[in-house]
Amino acid sequence: MKGILKIYHPDETLKYNIRNTYCKAIYSNQQHLLEVEILTDDSLDHVDDDSLQYNFPQLSLEVFDFPLESGEIEGKTIVINDSEEDTFTEVDLFDDEDAFIYDNELQFEKNEDDVLQVIWKGTIDDFYTGSGTPIPFRLKCEFKQDDIVVDED
């Protein structure tokens, strides 16, 4: 498993398994930019039928074009707060609902297997019940390259 996303809704803690991850510090127009994409698995095997999560089986979180001081992100904590002028984060619910994430803090470090990982904390709009009060989330995942197995016939 690449990681887990937990959304701490007042009614229940929602858990999403991470399927795909992408992270890169790119250099464009003489500036370092951070790109991160986390895609959850749409499996609901671990979810009760009456769970709030059942209506939202999958989501993705993304950081794009966020300016960095350097191309090195290991050991850094990056705080991202979108504004009216600058938007660097996005959440996709894979339906017609909209949600935004706030107070994003991404902490990058290497794990015991020397693989880069991120702990991402923040708040997200309550798209489950539409309460209007953002709810906290915490995500932890690693950016390990997938092993591609090719079967020979």
Side-chain angles (χ1 to χ4, degrees):
M1 179 173 61
K2 289 195 172 269
I4 191 162
L5 164 64
K6 292 184 179 179
I7 299 177
Y8 301 101
H9 194 277
D11 296 335
E12 67 179 300
T13 297
L14 307 158
K15 296 177 185 169
Y16 291 87
N17 294 321
I18 305 299
R19 186 177 74 200
N20 292 331
T21 60
Y22 171 80
C23 179
K24 190 156 191 130
I26 61 171
Y27 189 71
S28 176
N29 294 328
Q30 301 173 351
Q31 186 175 21
H32 292 278
L33 303 171
L34 177 66
E35 289 188 5
V36 177
E37 185 175 3
I38 311 293
L39 180 65
T40 65
D41 192 329
D42 60 0
S43 170
L44 292 171
D45 295 342
H46 64 289
V47 177
D48 294 332
D49 288 345
D50 61 346
S51 171
L52 294 172
Q53 184 177 339
Y54 212 78
N55 294 324
F56 298 93
Q58 184 179 31
L59 53 93
S60 76
L61 300 172
E62 187 175 349
V63 173
F64 53 90
D65 298 337
F66 184 75
L68 297 170
E69 293 175 8
S70 74
E72 184 59 45
I73 58 175
E74 180 187 344
K76 300 249 168 71
T77 298
I78 298 169
V79 176
I80 302 173
N81 287 309
D82 292 339
S83 66
E84 294 283 330
E85 299 83 33
D86 297 314
T87 303
F88 302 106
T89 62
E90 183 175 88
V91 60
D92 187 352
L93 305 174
F94 297 97
D95 74 352
D96 294 335
E97 297 287 325
D98 285 327
F100 298 95
I101 49 179
Y102 314 93
D103 307 316
N104 297 285
E105 178 184 297
L106 291 81
Q107 182 179 354
F108 293 93
E109 57 192 32
K110 292 264 180 112
N111 65 14
E112 59 276 353
D113 297 326
D114 203 36
V115 174
L116 184 68
Q117 67 181 14
V118 66
I119 297 172
W120 184 345
K121 300 176 195 171
T123 56
I124 186 168
D125 285 334
D126 182 1
F127 55 90
Y128 299 100
T129 61
S131 71
T133 303
I135 50 180
F137 72 86
R138 186 175 191 272
L139 178 148
K140 182 176 182 181
C141 71
E142 58 186 30
F143 299 103
K144 183 177 175 184
Q145 186 168 341
D146 290 331
D147 294 327
I148 299 173
V149 178
V150 178
D151 292 333
E152 301 214 11
D153 294 340

